[in-house]
């Protein structure tokens, strides 16, 4: 169902206030071929209402002819900012960039953030943005989880389906995604609500067994038959299973890049308003799957680049895989047990679901 402009403008204003937007600050709204018109016009109204000075920068799409998917996260690498100093200068001169286009995993983005500009990505459909409008409570919960990652040296992930992965941590930062940008130089994504980090290069080993109901992105498919991935020295070396495993292998092979198979970010979802079931209700081309990445208690791992965290891997291929019913341990302490986040909020939600029989 649609949401009204009033509802979306109200949501934008909450997010902009959480992002500490002040009257007179310069906001540049970055738009592209797939920008949702309601999201754009409501962002403009909300920014104007707060008294910001507003620009709009519309950039042409790139990489469409190379990708097998229309998903904006399906082909990384170059962006419309690559070799585009005029656009970079406009964004660097802004206090806040509202990215309604999807600028991600690019050195240009790092350059813009390094100057203190904040960037907030918001490309999910309007009703998803309203449902998943971030809160201060989201930030507190995500930050608490990231503190646990920060001090950890090993992540172990297990599941009844057969997953048993060990990853050494410590070389890359813990990233907190809570949906707004309250500090200079901060990037975030509305909607989100999860923590993640990257394993040290070459230091993840074991196997991951995707069970029925786990999710493949950007395919936006629920796994129906188990897929087993064998991981050695930081790379997925073997992918076995049925039709979905074959599609995954063929899709990844199309990038012709061995780096595509590197284990990328690892973390877990903390957003109780995000839904595992959402993916079954939407046309694939209308969204990028943030409900799937953020739903509470999922173990989210990926294959592909680590340049977002300061690493050198820049492969264009990126596969995100949210999994249910996993147990995540940091140095032997469980942060998630069988898909239940081990904090007060997570335990309360699990108890409520049990009462409801869900
Ligand atoms: Fe990812």
């Amino acid at each position: 169902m649609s949401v009204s402009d009033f509802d979306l403008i109200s949501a934008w204003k909450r997010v902009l206030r959480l992002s500490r937007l002040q009257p007179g600050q310069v906001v540049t709204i970055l738009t592209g071929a797939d920008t949702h018109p309601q999201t754009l016009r409501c962002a403009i109204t909300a920014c104007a209402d707060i008294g910001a000075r507003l620009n709009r920068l519309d950039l042409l799409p790139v990489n469409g002819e190379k990708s097998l998917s229309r998903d904006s996260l399906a082909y990384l690498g170059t962006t419309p900012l690559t070799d585009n100093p005029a656009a970079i200068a406009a964004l660097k001169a802004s206090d806040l960039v509202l990215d309604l286009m999807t600028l991600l995993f690019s050195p240009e983005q790092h350059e813009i953030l390094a100057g203190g500009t904040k960037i907030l990505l918001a490309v999910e459909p309007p009703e998803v943005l309203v449902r998943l409008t971030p809160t201060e409570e989201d930030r507190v919960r995500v930050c608490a989880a990231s503190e646990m990652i920060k001090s950890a040296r090993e992540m172990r992930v297990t599941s009844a389906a057969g997953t048993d992965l060990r990853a050494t941590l410590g070389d890359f930062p813990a990233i907190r995604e809570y949906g707004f940008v309250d500090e200079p130089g901060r990037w975030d994504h509305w909607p989100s609500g999860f923590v993640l980090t990257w394993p040290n290069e070459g230091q993840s080993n074991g196997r991951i067994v995707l069970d029925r109901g786990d999710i493949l992105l950007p395919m936006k498919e629920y796994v129906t038959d188990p897929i087993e991935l064998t991981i050695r020295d930081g790379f997925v070396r073997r992918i076995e299973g049925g039709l979905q495993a074959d599609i995954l292998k063929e899709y990844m092979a199309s990038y012709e890049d061995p780096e595509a198979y590197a284990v990328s970010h690892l973390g877990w979802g903390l957003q109780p308003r995000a839904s595992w079931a959402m993916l079954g209700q939407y046309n694939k081309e209308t969204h990028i799957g943030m409900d799937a990445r953020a739903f509470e208690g999922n173990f989210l791992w990926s294959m592909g680049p680590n340049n977002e965290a300061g690493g050198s891997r820049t492969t264009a291929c990126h596969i995100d895989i949210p999994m249910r019913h996993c147990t995540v341990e940091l140095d032997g302490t469980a942060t998630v047990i069988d898909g239940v986040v081990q904090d007060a909020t997570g335990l309360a939600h699990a108890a409520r679901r049990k009462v409801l029989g869900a």
Side-chain angles (χ1 to χ4, degrees), residues 245-276:
D246 288 347
I247 293 170
L248 177 63
K249 283 193 283 189
E250 183 82 9
Y251 174 83
M252 293 184 72
S254 74
Y255 288 82
E256 298 183 338
D257 183 357
E259 298 274 274
Y261 300 88
V263 176
S264 180
H265 56 78
L266 310 170
W268 64 94
L270 290 159
Q271 178 52 270
R273 298 182 302 287
S275 171
W276 166 77

Side-chain angles (χ1 to χ4, degrees), residues 14-329:
R14 282 201 293 279
V15 171
L16 293 172
R17 288 200 184 101
L18 285 167
S19 300
R20 302 179 183 169
L21 180 64
Q22 302 297 321
Q25 287 191 320
V26 175
V27 177
T28 299
I29 302 183
L30 189 56
T31 60
D34 298 317
T35 294
H36 197 290
Q38 187 183 19
T39 305
L40 173 60
R41 71 173 177 264
C42 292
I44 289 171
T45 302
C47 289
D49 193 54
I50 288 174
R53 282 183 289 159
L54 204 54
N55 306 305
R56 175 176 167 187
L57 178 61
D58 191 67
L59 298 176
L60 299 177
V62 296
N63 295 325
E65 77 288 0
K66 297 176 192 160
S67 181
L68 293 178
S69 168
R70 286 181 57 81
D71 189 291
S72 60
L73 298 176
Y75 198 99
L76 307 174
T78 56
T79 76
L81 290 187
T82 308
D83 301 324
N84 189 345
I88 295 169
L91 299 182
K92 282 173 82 170
S94 307
D95 295 296
L96 172 65
V97 173
L98 300 180
D99 177 3
L100 310 189
M101 179 196 80
T102 313
L103 176 67
L104 196 57
F105 296 95
S106 68
E108 294 80 14
Q109 176 163 294
H110 283 296
E111 186 184 333
I112 294 160
L113 295 170
T117 298
K118 303 169 177 177
I119 302 178
L120 181 66
L121 173 64
V123 293
E124 286 291 39
E127 69 280 6
V128 176
L129 295 177
V130 172
R131 174 168 49 84
L132 298 179
T133 305
T135 65
E136 172 61 14
E137 290 71 31
D138 292 343
R139 186 191 70 78
V140 169
R141 192 179 189 203
V142 167
C143 288
S146 81
E147 289 302 313
M148 292 189 279
I149 287 185
K150 246 188 222 173
S151 55
R153 288 298 164 263
E154 187 194 62
M155 181 185 287
R156 185 176 182 209
V157 184
T158 53
S159 74
T163 294
D164 193 347
L165 175 75
R166 286 178 189 271
T168 305
L169 308 179
D171 288 351
F172 295 103
I175 303 286
R176 307 168 296 181
E177 293 195 20
Y178 46 76
F180 55 92
V181 284
D182 52 341
E183 296 163 0
R186 177 169 169 77
W187 177 93
D188 209 322
H189 189 173
W190 170 27
S192 51
F194 47 82
V195 284
L196 54 124
T197 190
W198 282 256
N200 297 354
E201 288 283 5
Q203 295 179 36
S204 38
N205 288 281
R207 67 172 186 162
I208 288 181
V209 181
L210 305 185
D211 200 5
R212 191 172 141 272
D214 293 338
I215 292 170
L216 295 169
L217 300 169
M219 296 78 185
K220 303 189 185 90
E221 295 275 355
Y222 293 107
V223 170
T224 53
D225 291 315
I227 301 174
E228 183 168 336
L229 301 102
T230 305
I231 295 161
R232 198 177 65 252
D233 298 334
F235 282 81
V236 173
R237 309 284 177 175
R238 210 165 54 223
I239 301 174
E240 297 167 293
L243 174 64
Q244 287 176 306
D246 288 347
I247 293 170
L248 177 63
K249 283 193 283 189
E250 183 82 9
Y251 174 83
M252 293 184 72
S254 74
Y255 288 82
E256 298 183 338
D257 183 357
E259 298 274 274
Y261 300 88
V263 176
S264 180
H265 56 78
L266 310 170
W268 64 94
L270 290 159
Q271 178 52 270
R273 298 182 302 287
S275 171
W276 166 77
M278 177 271 192
L279 208 63
Q281 324 302 317
Y282 271 72
N283 178 317
K284 286 184 186 189
E285 296 197 358
T286 58
H287 69 103
I288 61 168
M290 291 309 291
D291 271 85
R293 290 182 180 87
F295 74 85
E296 180 165 331
N298 89 80
F299 167 58
L300 173 61
W301 72 285
S302 71
M303 291 179 271
N306 64 2
N307 57 326
E308 192 190 354
S312 57
R313 185 175 307 111
T314 58
T315 177
C317 183
H318 185 57
I319 310 289
D320 276 334
I321 305 181
M323 296 171 66
R324 295 191 300 168
H325 307 310
C326 287
T327 293
V328 181
E329 292 168 86

